[in-house]
Amino acid sequence: MLKSDLLRQLPAVHEVVKDISSEVSGKPEKEVTRAVQDAIKLWRKNILNDHHAIDLKTDIRSLVKDSAKSNLVHPTHQIRSLINASGIVIHTNLGRSRLSEKSVERMSETARMYSNLEYNLEQGKRGSRHDLTEELIKQVTGAEAAMVVNNNAAAVYLILKALAKNKEVIVSRGELVEIGGSFRVSSIMEESGAKLREIGTTNKTHLFDYEEAINEETGMIMKVHTSNFKVIGFTKEVSSSELIQLKKDHQDLIIYEDLGSGALYPFQSEGIGDEPLISSVINNGLDIVSFSGDKLLGGPQAGIIAGKKRIIDQLKKHQLARVLRVDKFTIAALNETLLSYRNEEYKDIPTVRDILKTPEEIRESVWRLKRKVEDHSSLNIRILEEFSQVGGGTMPDVKLPTFCLGLKHFKGADYLARAFRNHQTPIIVRIKGEEVLLDLRTISDDELLTVEDAIRSID
């Protein structure tokens, strides 16, 4: 059947509204009309893109009615909850880290009631939101002082703007990185008013390169942790502990390290990557560091700045501190995450828990799921060994051994992936060749029933 013939079968909006009016009584007329319009738009798109097998016998009007009623019962929000079956733990496109249950509960409580966001309960007068998180950051990092802004890019910008405007900032060429969204260290430095002084080469930078670059115009040495790529082979970089030696002859020189992902859990001790512990870096004597809240830390989006008190106090007084400040929900979630670290309740944090999952744990979950769905007549189902990724531009060379449920359908992998995405709770999968893989590293136990239902619903 020609697409034009199918498109002509799409009903008028007012006809469908009339058909379903008795079934959706109580719903506002505008809401019903919008639901019908969305349903017609959906089926027009399906017909044009061949997303569904539709022929002469198909009652398109009934399909539109069913979709409209579904829209009213399960309204589609712009930001939707979904299940991450990709095996990428910190998936930037899917919102990065999942929050702990304690963080979610604290955010919910903070939303329902007034709070002491900027009110000092002891003194009965205006307080500072910086105070609400600073002590916890100090406890888990060992820093003298700390503050929080809305992401790590903002932290980098604030530090450069407030501490190095119109001054030279020395950076190794091997650390002039670009991260997601075309965020480049060189570009943000230009925007801040700081002057970039490149030293060394792409693969090798020595301590003497830094020493020779320091002059009366130098305001800062910036070290950038290259968390989203690795240079291997004939390489040399200068550690932050080595850079501290330069302060003996240049006491006013600020040494800053952008740690990027920022780890509070010792993944290295588990044989996972070589991400440095934030507390260890600060213990080296650096003046200031910054790192993300929603990557390895496993908290909400935030840029955390920690270091010497005199420098943090200077940042807090800068006009940009208000522009870049975080809201009460971020503070609530971040504090609960930091408390889990302080109390060594690491498995409460989904990001840490998922990275640390053993292959044996995952294999058991995959076997349980396979036994429940292996009778599906349209699917070839198997279990296979694979690798998960940490994600979020973190530990790019780390492969986490895992087990996946592999699914094959005679219509192909794209058909299967689309079916999972179109489920009531969308499920994001991996495609490898003609097979769809479900990596259970990133699927929680309470999501397995939904995954099972999605598999069974595939035609």
Side-chain angles (χ1 to χ4, degrees):
M1 184 182 237
L2 293 175
K3 290 181 180 180
S4 57
D5 295 328
L6 293 171
L7 290 172
R8 278 194 288 271
Q9 290 188 35
L10 287 169
V13 173
H14 72 275
E15 292 175 353
V16 182
V17 170
K18 183 178 179 181
D19 287 347
I20 66 173
S21 60
S22 62
E23 300 176 67
V24 295
S25 58
K27 294 284 185 181
E29 184 180 344
K30 286 186 178 179
E31 185 179 347
V32 175
T33 301
R34 172 60 63 184
V36 172
Q37 289 171 337
D38 289 344
I40 293 173
K41 188 184 299 183
L42 170 68
W43 281 103
R44 179 179 289 110
K45 181 180 177 181
N46 287 341
I47 292 168
L48 292 172
N49 295 328
D50 295 319
H51 279 188
H52 291 261
I54 303 173
D55 54 33
L56 279 168
K57 297 178 181 178
T58 304
D59 186 351
I60 294 180
R61 184 166 181 152
S62 293
L63 293 176
V64 171
K65 285 162 57 177
D66 290 342
S67 293
K69 287 185 287 186
S70 178
N71 290 343
L72 290 166
V73 176
H74 306 288
T76 300
H77 302 287
Q78 293 304 309
I79 184 164
R80 299 176 63 184
S81 298
L82 52 76
I83 292 174
N84 175 14
S86 72
I88 301 172
V89 179
I90 308 169
H91 200 309
T92 298
N93 300 131
L94 307 185
R96 289 191 178 160
S97 289
R98 288 188 290 179
L99 295 178
S100 68
E101 287 302 316
K102 290 178 180 177
S103 294
V104 173
E105 290 170 10
R106 179 60 61 194
M107 288 178 70
S108 179
E109 182 179 323
T110 302
R112 282 195 300 266
M113 302 179 67
Y114 290 102
S115 65
N116 63 324
L117 179 63
E118 290 189 349
Y119 186 80
N120 188 309
L121 290 168
E122 183 179 344
Q123 299 176 9
K125 61 181 184 181
R126 184 184 178 89
S128 170
R129 68 182 68 198
H130 294 305
D131 297 339
L132 301 178
T133 306
E134 184 172 30
E135 191 60 35
L136 279 171
I137 298 173
K138 287 163 57 179
Q139 289 172 8
V140 298
T141 65
E144 289 180 11
M147 66 181 292
V148 182
V149 292
N150 56 22
N151 60 30
N152 192 49
V156 173
Y157 182 69
L158 174 61
I159 289 167
L160 292 172
K161 184 81 171 178
L163 305 176
K165 185 179 180 181
N166 299 322
K167 299 177 183 178
E168 287 188 358
V169 177
I170 300 172
V171 185
S172 166
R173 284 190 176 88
E175 297 174 0
L176 288 171
V177 301
E178 176 179 317
I179 61 172
S182 299
F183 173 86
R184 294 180 176 179
V185 169
S186 55
S187 298
I188 204 69
M189 194 172 291
E190 183 179 350
E191 291 290 339
S192 72
K195 302 173 185 177
L196 172 63
R197 178 72 182 273
E198 298 179 41
I199 60 166
T201 62
T202 302
N203 62 318
K204 278 200 169 191
T205 301
H206 302 270
L207 185 61
F208 65 75
D209 289 316
Y210 288 95
E211 290 177 302
E212 293 174 358
I214 297 173
N215 58 51
E216 63 276 4
E217 297 294 320
T218 305
M220 178 185 293
I221 289 177
M222 178 180 180
K223 183 169 178 60
V224 182
H225 180 60
T226 55
S227 57
N228 64 349
F229 72 95
K230 287 285 181 184
V231 178
I232 59 174
F234 194 56
T235 64
K236 167 67 179 175
E237 68 171 306
V238 181
S239 68
S240 54
S241 58
E242 292 177 279
L243 289 175
I244 295 301
Q245 300 173 27
L246 300 176
K247 289 184 71 71
K248 294 177 183 177
D249 298 322
H250 308 279
Q251 294 183 358
D252 294 333
L253 181 66
I254 295 173
I255 300 182
Y256 159 50
E257 182 163 5
D258 170 16
L259 287 168
S261 300
L264 287 176
Y265 182 85
F267 291 105
Q268 286 189 55
S269 67
E270 306 284 347
I272 301 173
D274 56 5
E275 199 75 16
L277 268 179
I278 295 164
S279 55
S280 298
V281 176
I282 289 175
N283 193 48
N284 287 333
L286 287 182
D287 294 302
I288 191 167
V289 301
S290 69
F291 50 95
S292 295
D294 58 349
K295 292 188 177 181
L296 284 178
L297 195 72
Q301 177 182 300
I304 301 170
I305 306 171
K308 298 287 195 295
K309 187 177 186 304
R310 62 179 178 82
I311 294 178
I312 299 296
D313 286 346
Q314 188 176 341
L315 294 176
K316 288 178 180 176
K317 294 173 184 176
H318 196 276
Q319 290 299 311
L320 276 177
R322 182 177 179 85
V323 176
L324 304 175
R325 70 183 184 180
V326 292
D327 65 5
K328 60 185 178 182
F329 305 114
T330 300
I331 292 171
L334 181 59
N335 280 5
E336 285 301 322
T337 306
L338 294 171
L339 279 170
S340 292
Y341 280 105
R342 190 190 69 179
N343 299 334
E344 298 185 0
E345 296 170 336
Y346 304 120
K347 292 297 183 74
D348 285 351
I349 303 168
T351 296
V352 176
R353 183 182 67 228
D354 289 350
I355 292 173
L356 296 179
K357 273 184 185 176
T358 65
E360 292 74 26
E361 290 177 278
I362 299 168
R363 179 173 54 188
E364 180 58 34
S365 296
V366 175
W367 270 111
R368 287 200 305 268
L369 178 59
K370 182 178 184 292
R371 284 194 290 265
K372 291 180 178 179
V373 299
E374 60 187 355
D375 59 344
H376 196 298
S377 59
S378 300
L379 295 171
N380 291 322
I381 303 175
R382 67 171 180 142
I383 293 174
L384 64 158
E385 293 185 59
E386 267 291 336
F387 293 98
S388 310
Q389 293 178 273
V390 176
T394 300
M395 302 187 197
D397 57 336
V398 171
K399 293 182 177 181
L400 302 171
T402 191
F403 285 87
C404 294
L405 192 69
L407 307 173
K408 279 188 176 181
H409 192 281
F410 69 93
K411 291 185 179 179
D414 288 338
Y415 170 83
L416 270 182
R418 185 166 59 244
F420 279 113
R421 291 197 308 273
N422 289 338
H423 191 259
Q424 184 176 319
T425 300
I427 300 171
I428 309 303
V429 300
R430 261 178 23 221
I431 295 179
K432 188 173 185 180
E434 288 303 310
E435 197 167 23
V436 157
L437 305 184
L438 304 179
D439 189 339
L440 269 63
R441 179 180 295 278
T442 47
I443 299 176
S444 59
D445 289 343
D446 58 1
E447 293 171 334
L448 285 173
L449 278 175
T450 303
V451 174
E452 180 185 344
D453 176 67
I455 294 173
R456 291 193 176 281
S457 67
I458 292 170
D459 295 330

